[in-house]
Every structure is written in structure tokens, then in C-alpha cells.
Amino acid sequence: MLTWMQHHKKYLVVTIWISVIAFVGAGFVGWGSYDFNTDRSNSVAKVGDEKISYDEFNLKYSQLFNYYAQLNNGNYTQEQAQKDGLDMQAIDQLIQEKLLLSYAKTLGLEVSEEEIAYDLAHQKVFHNASGVFDKNLYYNILSRNNYTPKTYEKVIHDELLLNKINTILNLQLNQDELDMFAASFLMQDKLKIQVIQLNEKDIPINEDELKQTWEKNKELYKTQKSYELATYFLKPENINIDEKELQAYYEENKNNYKDFSGKILNFEQSKNQVLKDLKLSKLKLKANESYVALRKGELKFDKNITISDADIYYPLATIEKSKDNDFIKPFRINDGYMIAKIIKINPIQTKTFEQAKEEVSKLYLKEKAKKILEEKAKSALENFKGIDIGIFSRDSMKNSKVGNMLNDTEFSEFLMHVFDTNKVKSYVILDQKAIVYEITEQILENKDKEQIYKFIIEQSAKQTKQALLKEELLKKLIEIYPIQRYYKGNTN
């Protein structure tokens, strides 16, 4: 592939913005890689003649993990992913993609090397500081994430082929479909509601039930893998540097000192950073000497520490591959250099009840609150006596009748549920509230509003039609292409 790109450089000049494959970034963030038991098979599933490799599975899992992590502001853990069945979501999505890929090949659709190269050349994650595709950067990033170019380019190939299928399924809307969707979108509901509140602090904790909750979910509560290290730290102190030496270092490395526009800074402008870099350069030589002395036993380590996989400032990739008593070569940290020796590696273990009690209590209270709220909501639904809060559309803000019963976020979530279901009378469970509601009347909004939301309505209608077509197509494809699942879910 890169050979082809080198022969066709003039066609690969970056001149326009191109959307990057959705999972490119996700694959290189490093939050969500999955630890598979590869003894099961050389692939996780097979759809027709299309195999799903462990690399593809791990990449899809990483994509989903990072997506949920971003939705939760980074507060998404492997334990939560396991509870959500993220591994099975990943394989389900891949099976759907393989069904569509098999169908695309049956239709005779193809992706050329030129298309793959063009897409690859526009992925900014592989661009150097000049904004140009960098072959060495490409290889390095893939290597750090345990992907081969062949594997990654297969991912691009499949994504481009899926895009072609999606284009085929992106049928134009007729006016009747658009009018029907607009009517649904612009519908207003006259609502009565009753809000039931519950404070988790008022829920008594039954110790036996709490233990049962832990027993059912204990595989979600794991200790972090940790590493006990003996360390030796060197600071760039007592390193004397004269002006002449500093000037010479600047002249040799001046291309490293630039402003935001890319202009090289002069010596005076970059002097402080040059001094810092030169001291660290000299310190590295001293660190290498100390590393040899430590290995020979001529020096002693000065501090023992314990780190986990969350301590990203340490060379985790190297440490993870090491074993007890291995030495870790000097690495930069806290404006100095550290040398380490592995004392002990503590593997991931299931937490005891006492260790997990605080976390389990949160799950217990959440489940208990939901159960109590559902019971109260069902009871209130049978003898409903709600308050008339007025007429609302799906984009309405809360009014004075709603008042303090619901905050803005809760009200928006409530309305979304009302307009996304076909129940005239039901309830919505939020964190510590249940909203019982009844739609007493439906009204079609002023048609003038249709112009305001014309683009949103058209796009939503197209996406809905495409999704329905894809759903029906997948039902047929399942009958045509046999599916074999080798991976049955996490059993570790």
C-alpha cells in the first residue's frame, strides 16, 4: 500500500478536509483494549466466509469503550464495560458489518488500493508537524498499538465498503414519508404528571441482600493490576553549564525551538528551555551510568513505590512486559530521570466483599431505589391523579407549572421518553424520581414551525428510513450467510 502511495504522491497532497474513520482515534487512545483468551479459536466469529479476528474485535471494543468514556467524561471503567456487556455489543456490531460486507461482495462492490491510500493519507493521526502523511509515524503508531499495516488497511477497506452499502441504502424520501415524519416530529402532547421522589439515603441496607448483590456481581469488582518498584531518581541539580556550551547546544538543536507559527525562536527567547533540555541531556548520560551501577549492585535504590495501570507517566508498555527482578532503563519523569526494578507484580484479583463493599453499596442502593420507584409508579398509575402541566412538543422547555418538580435535564429526559414511546399512560424512572404521566390530548403544531426544523426533520427521516431498510436487510442476510460464534462472552 505504501509503495503505491509513494508512486502516486501528487494525488495525495492534503488540500481538503476529509472525515476520519470513526474508530481511528479510538484505536489509539489506549483506554479500552480487551484481554481475550485466544486459546478458544483463531477468530471470535465467522459470517459466511468472513472471519472476525481478535484484532478487529479489540479495535471495535476499544471504539465502543472510548465512546462511552467520552459520554461519561472519562468516568467509565472496565468493570462497568463488563457489566454493560460491551464485549458482546462489539461482536454483535461486527457480525452486522460482516453480513453487509458479504452482501456488498455479492453485489460486486469493490474498494481499490487508490481509495484506501487516499483515505489513509488524510487521517490526521498519521500526519507530521507539517501536516503531511508520515510513513514512519504510521508504522510507529500501529506498532505501539499492536497492529500491522495489513490489519489496519483491511479495517479501512471494510469501512469504505460499508460506506458504499450505506450509500445504496440512503434512498430519497417521497413527500408522503416526509409529511408523515414531520407530523410525528411536530406533534404536541397535553400532559398530566405525578412526580414520586425517593432519597437513597432513606433506604435501609440489608446486609444479607448486600452480600447477595456482591455475589451476583463480584466479577465486576476487581483490584487493579499493580507493580511494586524499587526506584532511583536523578534530578538535574549540580549540573553546571557555561554560556558557550549553551549557545552551541542551541545552534545544534534550534529547529526544536519554534513559536506557534512555526518560526524558529532566537537564543534569548528560548534560553530557559535550552538550558533545561541541555541539563536533561547531560542527566541522561549520568542516568545510564547509574543504571549500570545499579545492575552491578554498586548503587542502592532509594525508594520503593507501587504503581498501577492508571499511572500513565511511567513506561507502562515496558513494565507490563517485565517480570519480577527485571530492571527498567532510565525514563523521563517529573523533570528528571528514574531507574526502576520490578520487586513484585500483583495481578488483577476479584475483590473480597469487604474490599468491594462501598462500591457494591452504590449498586445495591441504585437497584433498590429503582425497584421501589417502579412499585410506587405502578401503584400511582392505577389510581392516577396527576397535575395538568400544559401542552408540550419534543423541544419544549419546562414551564412554571412544572416548577421545581423536575430540573431542566430531568424534564428533557422525561419528554424524550414520552415522544419516543407510543404509550398514552406510563411512567419514567430517573435516578431518584419516577414521573407518572398521561397524554390527555394530541395537537399538531403550526405548520410554520416545519420550516424551522426542515433540515433536522429531513435528516432524521432519512436516517430512520435507512435504519429500517438496514434492519430488514440484515434479517434476510442472516438467512443467507451462516453465523458461527466462537466467543461466548467473558468467562474470566
Side-chain angles (χ1 to χ4, degrees):
M1 178 55 59
L2 288 177
T3 303
W4 186 94
M5 292 172 73
Q6 288 167 345
H7 290 161
H8 298 79
K9 284 180 181 177
K10 65 180 180 179
Y11 300 113
L12 299 175
V13 178
V14 181
T15 56
I16 58 174
W17 288 91
I18 297 291
S19 61
V20 179
I21 293 175
F23 44 73
V24 170
F28 303 123
V29 173
W31 292 341
S33 59
Y34 196 85
D35 183 17
F36 294 111
N37 178 359
T38 52
D39 292 337
R40 295 189 182 101
S41 171
N42 59 4
S43 57
V44 294
K46 187 178 179 184
V47 179
D49 295 327
E50 293 280 338
K51 290 183 178 180
I52 299 174
S53 68
Y54 280 93
D55 282 342
E56 290 176 291
F57 201 175
N58 210 352
L59 193 57
K60 178 63 72 175
Y61 181 88
S62 185
Q63 173 200 4
L64 291 172
F65 187 94
N66 294 331
Y67 172 75
Y68 286 120
Q70 289 168 18
L71 284 182
N72 292 277
N73 297 316
N75 298 317
Y76 193 71
T77 63
Q78 289 289 6
E79 289 77 16
Q80 186 61 46
Q82 187 176 334
K83 182 182 177 184
D84 293 340
L86 206 63
D87 54 339
M88 300 312 292
Q89 289 183 45
I91 196 170
D92 287 343
Q93 285 195 22
L94 284 167
I95 284 172
Q96 288 187 3
E97 290 174 6
K98 293 298 183 184
L99 286 167
L100 293 170
L101 288 169
S102 297
Y103 183 56
K105 291 176 182 178
T106 301
L107 293 178
L109 297 177
E110 295 180 350
V111 174
S112 67
E113 282 199 347
E114 290 89 340
E115 289 174 291
I116 297 172
Y118 187 82
D119 189 284
L120 183 60
H122 287 80
Q123 292 181 14
K124 292 190 175 182
V125 70
F126 304 125
H127 287 187
N128 59 24
S130 301
V132 178
F133 179 86
D134 187 320
K135 178 179 68 174
N136 293 326
L137 181 62
Y138 172 62
Y139 285 142
N140 287 337
I141 290 177
L142 292 188
S143 176
R144 289 202 305 269
N145 289 274
N146 298 316
Y147 290 105
T148 65
K150 183 179 179 181
T151 299
Y152 187 66
E153 285 159 22
K154 174 67 164 58
V155 169
I156 297 174
H157 170 279
D158 290 352
E159 183 69 14
L160 292 174
L161 195 53
L162 286 171
N163 288 343
K164 293 185 179 186
I165 278 287
N166 287 331
T167 300
I168 292 173
L169 294 175
N170 190 18
L171 302 180
Q172 292 298 312
L173 297 166
N174 61 46
Q175 194 57 46
D176 287 342
E177 290 171 327
L178 197 55
D179 290 344
M180 182 172 63
F181 203 90
S184 172
F185 188 86
L186 298 172
M187 188 67 69
Q188 290 183 308
D189 290 342
K190 189 174 183 181
L191 293 167
K192 277 185 164 184
I193 68 167
Q194 178 182 346
V195 178
I196 301 167
Q197 300 199 57
L198 178 68
N199 192 331
E200 288 183 359
K201 293 179 181 178
D202 298 330
I203 301 173
I205 294 179
N206 182 301
E207 196 75 7
D208 291 335
E209 290 180 350
L210 188 63
K211 284 184 179 178
Q212 289 172 14
T213 302
W214 171 74
E215 280 290 347
K216 286 190 296 183
N217 300 280
K218 63 183 179 182
E219 291 305 314
L220 299 180
Y221 303 105
K222 305 274 191 179
T223 60
Q224 279 191 312
K225 188 176 183 179
S226 62
Y227 309 88
E228 296 177 26
L229 308 176
T231 65
Y232 186 85
F233 185 65
L234 297 93
K235 293 182 180 180
E237 297 173 348
N238 303 320
I239 295 179
N240 298 317
I241 295 172
D242 59 38
E243 192 78 6
K244 186 177 179 181
E245 190 178 12
L246 196 62
Q247 180 79 47
Y249 185 83
Y250 166 77
E251 291 297 333
E252 186 178 346
N253 299 278
K254 64 169 63 176
N255 285 327
N256 295 335
Y257 306 102
K258 298 178 181 179
D259 62 16
F260 289 114
S261 66
K263 182 181 177 182
I264 294 175
L265 299 170
N266 63 39
F267 177 67
E268 289 302 322
Q269 290 172 317
S270 57
K271 191 172 183 178
N272 290 337
Q273 187 60 45
V274 174
L275 179 61
K276 180 179 177 181
D277 292 346
L278 180 52
K279 281 188 174 183
L280 284 170
S281 178
K282 286 179 172 289
L283 185 66
K284 186 174 183 180
L285 295 173
K286 187 178 178 183
N288 288 333
E289 293 172 358
S290 299
Y291 173 74
V292 173
L294 285 163
R295 287 187 68 95
K296 290 180 177 179
E298 297 170 358
L299 270 181
K300 291 185 179 180
F301 289 97
D302 49 30
K303 187 178 181 182
N304 289 356
I305 62 171
T306 300
I307 66 167
S308 73
D309 287 335
D311 293 307
I312 59 174
Y313 297 106
Y314 291 82
L316 294 174
T318 302
I319 292 172
E320 286 170 358
K321 295 175 184 177
S322 302
K323 56 185 183 296
D324 291 0
N325 297 315
D326 280 357
F327 284 79
I328 308 299
K329 290 181 178 180
F331 57 90
R332 280 278 304 275
I333 189 168
N334 297 331
D335 291 327
Y337 275 93
M338 181 177 282
I339 304 158
K341 180 183 178 182
I342 308 286
I343 299 173
K344 184 181 178 185
I345 299 174
N346 301 309
I348 295 172
Q349 294 180 324
T350 301
K351 290 182 180 179
T352 64
F353 172 68
E354 289 302 324
Q355 288 175 318
K357 192 170 183 178
E358 185 177 343
E359 296 169 271
V360 175
S361 296
K362 293 176 184 177
L363 176 62
Y364 170 83
L365 290 171
K366 189 173 183 178
E367 290 178 346
K368 196 79 170 175
K370 184 178 179 182
K371 185 177 180 181
I372 294 170
L373 282 170
E374 281 187 326
E375 290 171 354
K376 291 184 179 235
K378 287 175 182 177
S379 176
L381 201 58
E382 293 176 3
N383 305 288
F384 185 65
K385 297 176 182 177
I387 300 169
D388 187 338
I389 58 170
I391 298 171
F392 299 88
S393 55
R394 63 174 64 237
D395 62 338
S396 295
M397 304 292 287
K398 71 174 189 176
N399 59 20
S400 58
K401 291 183 179 179
V402 177
N404 294 324
M405 289 190 289
L406 301 170
N407 61 38
D408 292 339
T409 302
E410 290 169 338
F411 187 70
S412 295
E413 190 175 340
F414 163 67
L415 278 187
M416 182 173 65
H417 176 91
V418 171
F419 283 96
D420 285 345
T421 59
N422 57 4
K423 293 181 180 179
V424 174
K425 195 175 180 181
S426 186
Y427 59 86
V428 180
I429 304 292
L430 301 179
D431 284 341
Q432 297 186 40
K433 290 179 183 176
I435 304 121
V436 186
Y437 70 89
E438 181 180 12
I439 300 171
T440 58
E441 189 178 349
Q442 287 191 315
I443 306 161
L444 190 60
E445 280 193 274
N446 189 322
K447 289 285 284 183
D448 291 342
K449 198 169 184 181
E450 187 174 337
Q451 291 304 311
I452 300 174
Y453 291 102
K454 184 178 179 182
F455 178 77
I456 294 174
I457 291 170
E458 287 179 354
Q459 292 304 308
S460 298
K462 282 182 180 179
Q463 289 170 9
T464 302
K465 185 174 182 177
Q466 185 185 48
L468 290 171
L469 285 169
K470 187 180 287 187
E471 185 180 341
E472 291 303 314
L473 175 60
L474 287 168
K475 288 178 183 177
K476 293 294 182 183
L477 295 180
I478 288 171
E479 298 173 6
I480 299 171
Y481 304 104
I483 298 170
Q484 298 178 59
R485 291 174 179 259
Y486 309 124
Y487 176 76
K488 305 297 183 182
N490 180 50
T491 57
N492 295 329

